């Protein structure tokens, strides 16, 4: 008689595994959602880069991914505002100073208005206001950049903000 | 189109109505008699002033004709640099703010146009509803009760942007002069902790007032709640009670918890029950759910849906009401009969536009059927082709009319909103009636009470405007105006034009700078004398392949401001013009809002305009004709508008 024990054990083991399938499969299954979401944004590569660098993205739904991007808008705005304030303290040409002051106002508006309303809109389930907020963040960055007569000391920051904001708006649009 | 017999051809024009003249009899009869004498005197003064100034003015700005003097009208063509073609707008479907992502073309070499307080202060309106400060969005629960019009609205008491939403409240005797009252409802229950959102009022035959509204719960679920006045003997309805057993409706199992909001006013079924609809979506199909109730406390879900249209997305702010096909009055929401058609209206989350369809309603089958399936809810006609969302009607039983409210958002940057401390307006309330002439449109028109704000009137009769010319109408400062105008194209010009297959689309047309044979022509509002900023409101006529004329009506913001952070879209649509009809328009200009109505309100366009230069005494009004072939004759009445003093400190009731 053949030894059924190993077969029996194997069968039992298989049942155990299949009934606990969802637990055994590793968590980076969400990479698929991130890819699908980022494909519908203007900049797939940057979108993937930002989302994957945030640990929360691994089990976030689309709303969660949008919230991560809004968080990135917020932290970039903070960093840029700090840089603007540092530059203002230095000696500047009057037109340069005027442009910097205007930029400070723009980035403050992102922090005071765009970010809070986007977070609230996403969390409370009326995402269109988050689309408006993200689009506006891009406008503020572009307007800041356009305000410099000479060379803009904030080009990198403004371009980055514009890109991040455009990606965020595109992700939010998928929720509408 | 009529040919106007211009009998004034060889007579020197007098452009402004003189103190004694035949046209004064046409002035509207108004109980405010004291205004009648004054306007006439003002216009006379203007003539004198401009006669003196005209010679000097002409020298410095010889390319634009000013309409006030007794000299023969010398039409000048506009030098081409004044009519720079603008880049094509981003096609419709993209959210209105996003096209500014790509606008660098309007930026003149890195020049900064910071908003200063003078420019921002000008933007506040004089006679449109807005709170003293902060953010406003959807109109809520409008109603008429015990002699007062009540208006509620989504409001953020903490900032000039959406968030912390509560219900603001104001009352008026005439839909124009408003008194601000304490907040009606705040987020003080678990079932509306994350938002006291949009709702509608139903007035019961016994006089009870029912308010159904959406709450975003502490668990972020969208539910429907019941509220009612604490004291029905208080005509101001200051205090409101929330039903202790709220919510009265939770999302049904097949609907997502965040796709269930904005309950309608209820209407009586033939079974004697009250019926409401709530918009939602299934995947990308917009739908309207239906519920019946006897007491507004327990509801019965009715099988099926009132209507659905694929690919339209989430339906917000559903509105459903009857209109009379025979009478020019409004109907109670519960009206029915042979002479009744139904209007289904939705606000599409996807594109922030309000759409409507006319059709029939089968109560038993719970079915709305549009008259034209090619122009269905969400795919066909819009109430307004500009900035106009979350609109809601109510039946005004005191004047037997149906009145439409709508939220008019900002088209500027958040930075400017935060700086000026407020954001959003309401449009002037409009009456809605069925268009008996076309049978396929609604007509919207500003409520007649707005005409009480009319002050001095300037009249222009049969002004001939040659192709490629701009005519300054010397009416004085032009930030607060009510304009009624008629235009005629010379019949000879129409006949000699070749037919064309051209399909004109306001949004992608490039605006008033792009010339056609029979258009564009109309008015330039909020324009400075040097035309560095101007907003054309215009008609554009195309002679089609069968000789038929097709008319578009547009509002062009592409050169409305030197600022680079405002929306520069061109809005508009085709407008049906029937045999024998003249081209007519009405425009309400009130600082940063312009509301335009074509053919008695068959096509409407609301826009937000934020000039940096064409403000205060520099804001002017022009006639223009940028067609290549058509000579246009225009007749207009232009009234200066008084303020409605809505945010005068004295008329606010504090809690």
């Amino acid at each position: 008689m053949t030894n059924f024990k190993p077969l029996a054990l194997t069968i039992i083991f298989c049942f155990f595994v299949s009934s606990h399938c969802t637990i055994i499969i590793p968590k980076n299954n969400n990479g698929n959602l991130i890819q699908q979401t980022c494909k519908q944004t203007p900049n797939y590569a940057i979108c993937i880069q930002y989302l994957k660098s945030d640990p929360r993205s691994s089990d976030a739904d689309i709303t969660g991914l949008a919230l991560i991007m809004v968080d990135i808008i917020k932290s970039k705005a903070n960093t840029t505002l700090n840089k603007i304030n540092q530059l203002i303290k230095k000696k500047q040409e009057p037109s340069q100073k005027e442009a910097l002051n205007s930029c400070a106002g723009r980035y403050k508006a992102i922090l005071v208005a765009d970010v809070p309303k986007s977070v609230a809109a996403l969390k409370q389930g009326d995402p269109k206001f988050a689309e408006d907020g993200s689009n506006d963040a891009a406008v503020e960055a572009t307007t800041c950049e356009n305000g410099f007569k000479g060379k803009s000391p904030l080009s990198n920051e403004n371009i980055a903000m514009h890109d991040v904001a455009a990606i965020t708006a595109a992700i939010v649009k998928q929720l509408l | 189109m009529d040919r106007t017999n211009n009998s004034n051809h060889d007579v020197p024009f007098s452009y402004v109505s003189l103190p004694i003249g035949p046209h004064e009899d046409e002035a509207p009869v108004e109980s405010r008699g004291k205004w009648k004498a004054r306007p006439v005197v003002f216009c006379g003064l203007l003539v004198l002033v401009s006669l003196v100034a005209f010679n000097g003015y002409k020298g410095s700005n010889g390319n634009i004709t000013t309409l006030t003097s007794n000299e023969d009208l010398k039409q000048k063509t506009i030098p081409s640099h004044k009519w720079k073609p603008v880049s094509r707008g981003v096609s419709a479907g993209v959210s209105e703010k996003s096209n500014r992502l790509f606008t660098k073309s309007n930026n003149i070499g890195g020049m900064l146009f910071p908003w200063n307080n003078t420019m921002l202060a000008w933007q506040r309106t004089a006679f449109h509803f807005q709170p003293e400060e902060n953010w406003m969005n959807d109109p809520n629960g409008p109603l008429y009760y015990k002699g007062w019009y009540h208006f509620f609205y989504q409001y953020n008491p903490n900032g000039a942007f959406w968030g912390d939403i509560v219900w603001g409240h104001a009352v008026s005797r005439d839909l124009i002069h408003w008194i601000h009252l304490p907040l009606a409802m705040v987020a003080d229950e678990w079932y509306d902790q994350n938002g006291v959102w949009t709702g509608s009022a139903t007035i019961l035959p016994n006089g009870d007032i029912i308010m159904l509204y959406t709450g975003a719960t502490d668990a972020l679920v969208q539910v429907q709640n019941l509220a009612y006045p604490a004291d029905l003997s208080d005509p101001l309805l200051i205090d409101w009670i929330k039903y202790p057993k709220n919510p009265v409706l939770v999302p049904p199992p097949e609907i997502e918890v965040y796709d269930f909001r904005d309950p309608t006013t209820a209407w009586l079924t033939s079974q004697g029950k009250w019926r409401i609809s709530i918009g939602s979506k299934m995947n990308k199909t917009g739908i309207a759910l239906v519920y019946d109730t006897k007491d507004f406390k327990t509801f019965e879900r009715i099988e099926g849906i009132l209507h659905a249209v694929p690919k339209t997305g989430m339906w917000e702010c559903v509105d459903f009401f009857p209109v009379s096909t025979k009478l020019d009055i409004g109907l109670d929401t519960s009206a029915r009969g042979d002479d009744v058609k139904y209007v289904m209206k939705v606000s599409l989350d996807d594109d922030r536009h309000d759409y409507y369809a006319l059709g029939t309603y089968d109560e038993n089958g719970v079915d709305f059927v549009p008259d034209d399936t090619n122009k269905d809810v969400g795919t066909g006609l819009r109430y307004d082709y500009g900035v106009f969302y979350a609109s809601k009607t109510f039946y005004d039983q005191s004047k037997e009319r149906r009145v439409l409210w709508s939220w008019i958002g900002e088209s500027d940057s958040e930075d400017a909103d935060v700086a000026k401390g407020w954001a959003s307006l309401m449009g002037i309330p409009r009456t809605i009636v069925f268009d008996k002439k076309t049978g396929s449109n609604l007509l919207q028109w500003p409520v007649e009470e707005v005409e009480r704000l009319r002050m001095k009137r300037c009249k222009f009769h049969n002004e001939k405007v040659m192709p490629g010319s701009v005519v300054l109408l010397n009416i004085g400062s032009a930030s607060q105006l009510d304009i009624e105008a008629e235009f005629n194209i010379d019949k000879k010009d129409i006949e000699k034009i070749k037919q064309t297959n051209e399909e004109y689309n306001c949004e992608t047309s490039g605006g008033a700078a792009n010339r056609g044979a029979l258009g564009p022509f109309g008015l330039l509002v909020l324009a400075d004398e040097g035309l560095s900023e101007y907003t054309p409101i215009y008609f554009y006529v195309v002679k089609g392949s069968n000789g038929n004329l097709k008319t578009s009506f547009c509002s062009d913001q592409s050169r409305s401001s030197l600022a680079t952070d405002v929306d520069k879209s061109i809005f508009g649509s085709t407008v049906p013009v029937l045999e024998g009809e003249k081209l007519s328009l009405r425009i309400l200009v009130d600082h940063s809002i312009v509301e335009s109505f074509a053919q008695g309100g068959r096509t409407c366009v609301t826009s937000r305009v934020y000039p940096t230069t064409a403000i205060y005494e520099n804001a002017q009004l022009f006639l223009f004709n940028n067609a290549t072939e058509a000579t246009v004759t225009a007749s207009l009445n232009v009234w200066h508008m008084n303020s409605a003093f809505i945010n005068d400190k004295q008329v606010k009731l504090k809690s």
Side-chain angles (χ1 to χ4, degrees):
Chain A
M1 228 195 212
T2 48
N3 194 346
F4 284 117
K5 248 196 196 157
L7 181 59
L9 279 173
T10 309
I11 291 170
I12 292 167
F13 182 73
C14 280
F15 273 124
F16 183 83
V17 168
S18 58
S19 65
H20 288 83
C21 251
T22 51
I23 301 175
I24 290 176
I25 289 176
K27 276 265 169 75
N28 61 10
N29 180 40
N30 211 34
N32 200 26
L33 178 64
I34 296 176
Q35 280 171 21
Q36 290 306 315
T37 305
C38 286
K39 274 184 189 160
Q40 299 172 66
T41 72
N43 197 320
Y44 178 78
I46 294 183
C47 176
I48 296 274
Q49 177 197 320
Y50 278 124
L51 286 177
K52 287 218 163 141
S53 68
D54 190 309
R56 294 172 292 178
S57 67
S58 57
D59 55 3
D61 55 10
I62 300 183
T63 301
L65 295 176
L67 282 164
I68 291 171
M69 292 305 298
V70 173
D71 228 8
I72 293 170
I73 290 178
K74 180 178 178 183
S75 68
K76 282 195 179 301
N78 266 318
T79 313
T80 308
L81 190 56
N82 284 336
K83 178 172 179 180
I84 294 171
N85 288 331
Q86 293 302 316
L87 288 170
I88 286 176
K89 284 182 195 157
K90 295 195 188 146
K91 198 159 173 227
Q92 301 281 357
E93 282 214 21
S95 66
Q96 200 78 341
K97 197 150 199 175
E98 204 188 338
L100 284 168
N101 279 324
S102 170
C103 284
R106 301 278 164 186
Y107 276 88
K108 272 182 207 146
I110 294 178
L111 289 167
V112 155
D114 291 331
V115 167
K117 87 178 189 187
S118 298
V119 170
L122 286 164
K123 285 188 173 165
Q124 292 164 9
D126 200 351
K128 65 177 179 285
F129 294 109
E131 190 188 9
D132 288 349
S134 311
N135 279 329
D136 183 74
V139 169
E140 307 293 0
T142 306
T143 310
C144 161
E145 186 67 13
N146 286 348
F148 289 96
K149 267 193 189 141
K151 182 164 165 36
S152 158
L154 299 168
S155 290
N156 290 336
E157 288 80 1
N158 285 329
I159 290 170
M161 176 59 77
H162 177 287
D163 289 348
V164 169
I167 290 168
T168 311
I171 295 177
V172 173
K173 194 129 184 94
Q174 298 169 43
L175 291 167
L176 291 177
Chain B
M1 224 148 300
D2 287 18
R3 181 216 303 249
T4 306
N5 235 334
N6 195 349
S7 54
N8 290 341
H9 213 27
D10 28 28
V11 174
F13 288 102
S14 55
Y15 304 96
V16 179
S17 61
L18 298 170
I20 308 153
H23 295 295
E24 283 313 303
D25 298 330
E26 293 166 22
V29 177
E30 185 45 65
S31 57
R32 293 194 179 178
K34 60 178 176 170
W35 287 116
K36 253 187 168 175
R38 217 184 290 181
V40 165
V41 174
F42 266 124
C43 277
L45 276 176
L46 268 181
V47 174
L48 269 170
V49 166
S50 52
L51 271 176
V52 168
F54 187 73
N55 290 327
Y57 173 81
K58 193 180 169 194
S60 61
N61 206 345
N63 285 321
I64 296 173
T65 311
T66 301
L67 218 56
T68 49
S69 81
N70 279 333
E71 291 183 38
D72 279 349
L73 187 60
K74 284 194 183 92
Q75 300 276 347
K76 296 286 201 295
T77 53
I78 293 310
S80 57
H81 76 268
K82 289 262 186 229
W83 290 95
K84 281 184 278 242
V86 296
S87 55
R88 301 217 139 187
V90 179
S91 64
V94 180
S95 109
E96 70 257 9
K97 272 198 167 151
S98 63
N99 70 350
R100 280 174 280 150
L101 298 181
F102 312 102
T103 303
K104 229 185 140 106
S105 54
N106 287 321
N107 183 36
I108 307 167
M111 266 162 84
L112 190 66
F113 293 101
W115 291 104
N116 62 37
N117 285 336
T118 308
M119 296 169 186
L120 293 176
W122 175 90
Q123 291 175 10
R124 274 196 83 91
T125 65
F127 56 90
H128 281 71
F129 182 85
Q130 58 180 117
E132 263 178 57
E133 56 181 358
N134 294 333
W135 166 274
M136 167 174 68
N137 56 293
D138 303 5
N140 297 152
L143 61 99
Y144 179 84
Y145 181 72
K146 281 190 156 70
W148 292 91
Y149 290 98
H150 286 261
F151 182 67
F152 305 88
Y153 55 97
Q154 298 281 280
Y155 179 62
N156 181 352
N158 300 325
F161 45 88
W162 186 83
D164 298 339
I165 294 294
V166 298
W167 272 40
H169 184 192
V171 290
S172 169
R173 303 295 263 175
D174 64 0
L175 288 172
I176 298 295
H177 297 87
W178 292 91
I179 299 171
H180 290 299
L181 296 180
L183 300 175
M185 292 196 287
V186 297
D188 54 5
E189 294 290 344
W190 67 268
Y191 49 76
D192 57 21
Q193 187 184 104
N194 278 301
V196 189
W197 287 354
T198 292
S200 306
T202 307
I203 303 183
L204 306 187
N206 67 358
D208 280 349
I209 295 176
I210 299 290
M211 198 70 85
L212 287 175
Y213 72 98
T214 300
T217 70
D218 55 354
L220 302 166
V221 175
Q222 292 170 8
V223 299
Q224 316 311 323
N225 301 310
L226 166 64
Y228 40 85
D231 180 5
L232 278 169
S233 68
D234 167 21
L236 297 186
L237 301 177
I238 296 208
D239 295 306
W240 288 77
I241 294 178
K242 295 177 185 176
Y243 175 53
K245 295 194 188 148
N246 276 332
V248 295
L249 268 177
V250 298
E254 74 273 23
I255 295 295
E256 297 287 0
V257 301
Y258 40 78
D259 288 338
F260 185 65
R261 53 187 182 268
D262 312 332
T264 64
T265 295
W267 62 94
L268 265 176
T269 67
S270 49
Q271 320 264 296
K273 293 187 196 168
W274 291 98
R275 178 162 288 180
I276 64 165
S277 180
I278 301 175
S280 185
K281 68 172 174 175
M282 306 227 37
N283 297 318
K284 275 311 240 177
T285 297
I287 63 174
L289 306 167
V290 183
Y291 292 85
D292 279 4
T293 181
K294 287 195 170 148
D295 56 4
F296 293 91
K297 293 169 180 169
T298 52
F299 288 78
E300 174 199 343
R301 169 82 187 276
I302 300 302
E303 213 182 300
I305 44 178
L306 187 54
H307 198 49
V309 180
K311 296 190 207 157
T312 51
M314 174 69 187
W315 282 8
E316 301 193 292
C317 301
V318 169
D319 199 3
F320 184 68
F321 56 89
V323 288
S324 170
T325 57
K326 292 279 188 297
L327 306 169
D328 284 335
I329 57 169
L331 296 178
D332 184 282
T333 312
S334 300
R336 71 181 99 246
D338 290 330
D339 296 337
V340 167
K341 264 198 183 303
Y342 288 85
V343 176
M344 178 137 202
K345 168 262 164 188
V346 299
S347 293
L348 290 193
D349 207 12
D350 277 5
D351 64 11
R352 311 302 194 282
H353 297 318
D354 281 4
Y355 294 82
Y356 75 91
L358 284 156
T360 53
Y361 168 53
D362 166 26
E363 186 191 281
N364 287 332
V366 189
D367 220 2
F368 169 77
V369 180
D371 287 343
D372 182 355
T373 48
N374 290 323
K375 288 187 177 170
D376 209 338
V377 176
T379 64
L381 296 175
R382 283 164 57 180
Y383 273 155
D384 188 294
Y385 289 86
V387 180
F388 192 93
Y389 194 67
S391 61
K392 185 182 289 299
T393 64
F394 75 102
Y395 177 61
D396 171 8
Q397 62 271 29
S398 75
K399 289 195 165 182
E400 286 186 307
R401 55 184 176 178
R402 182 155 290 269
V403 178
L404 174 71
W405 279 97
S406 182
W407 168 39
I408 316 296
E410 297 296 312
S411 300
D412 65 354
S413 68
E414 201 67 76
D415 185 31
D417 292 351
V418 168
K420 72 194 189 193
W422 62 271
S424 297
L425 305 169
M426 288 292 156
I428 292 293
R430 303 172 180 179
T431 53
I432 286 200
V433 293
F434 177 71
D435 185 356
K436 293 194 292 248
K437 292 182 188 163
T438 64
S440 55
N441 290 73
L442 292 173
L443 295 174
Q444 301 161 60
W445 200 246
V447 291
E448 59 178 7
E449 288 91 334
V450 78
E451 295 164 31
R452 298 179 192 176
L453 298 174
R454 290 174 171 174
M455 299 191 294
K456 77 181 169 192
R457 177 176 72 138
C458 293
K459 190 174 170 66
F460 303 87
H461 188 61
N462 286 346
E463 306 308 340
K464 210 165 187 181
V465 192
M466 304 303 288
S469 58
V470 167
V471 181
L472 173 64
L473 299 175
N474 203 340
I475 55 160
S477 168
S479 299
Q480 292 170 214
L481 301 176
D482 187 354
I483 306 169
E484 286 184 342
E486 272 180 4
F487 295 85
N488 273 305
I489 305 178
D490 203 317
K491 213 168 184 178
K492 290 201 299 289
D493 296 331
I494 299 174
E495 276 161 17
K496 74 175 192 242
I497 305 287
K498 277 197 300 228
Q499 296 174 359
T500 166
N501 286 325
E502 181 187 2
E503 288 284 331
Y504 190 81
N505 181 334
C506 296
E507 290 168 358
T508 54
S509 64
N514 280 350
R515 312 184 67 182
L518 299 175
F521 56 87
L523 293 163
L524 305 180
V525 302
L526 296 173
D528 62 314
E529 266 182 39
L531 290 182
S532 62
E533 296 177 330
Y534 50 89
T535 300
I537 312 289
Y538 64 89
F539 288 104
Y540 190 99
V541 181
V542 173
K543 188 176 180 183
S545 44
N546 45 11
N548 285 347
L549 298 173
K550 199 163 182 190
T551 307
S552 293
F553 181 62
C554 320
S555 175
D556 176 5
Q557 282 71 244
S558 64
R559 308 210 82 82
S560 59
S561 176
L562 294 169
T564 56
D565 61 344
V566 298
D567 191 86
K568 305 254 178 104
S569 301
I570 302 158
F571 299 136
S573 169
T574 54
V575 55
V577 179
L578 303 179
E579 189 76 40
E581 282 184 358
K582 294 183 184 179
L583 292 178
S584 69
L585 61 72
R586 181 165 177 198
I587 305 175
L588 291 173
V589 180
D590 187 3
H591 297 262
S592 62
I593 183 172
V594 178
E595 291 172 278
S596 306
F597 304 82
Q599 303 311 102
R602 221 172 256 159
T603 292
C604 312
V605 186
T606 301
S607 25
R608 300 301 310 277
V609 182
Y610 307 94
T612 63
T613 304
I615 58 178
Y616 298 111
E617 65 278 6
N618 294 327
Q620 302 291 326
L621 178 68
F622 292 78
L623 263 179
F624 83 98
N625 177 5
N626 207 25
T628 55
E629 304 295 332
T631 297
V632 170
T633 307
S635 296
L636 325 87
N637 283 317
V638 182
W639 287 269
H640 282 254
M641 295 294 269
N642 200 357
S643 171
F645 303 108
I646 293 168
N647 289 299
D648 191 323
K649 284 279 189 289
Q650 285 133 14
V651 291
K652 178 177 171 180
L653 255 178
K654 288 213 190 303
S655 49

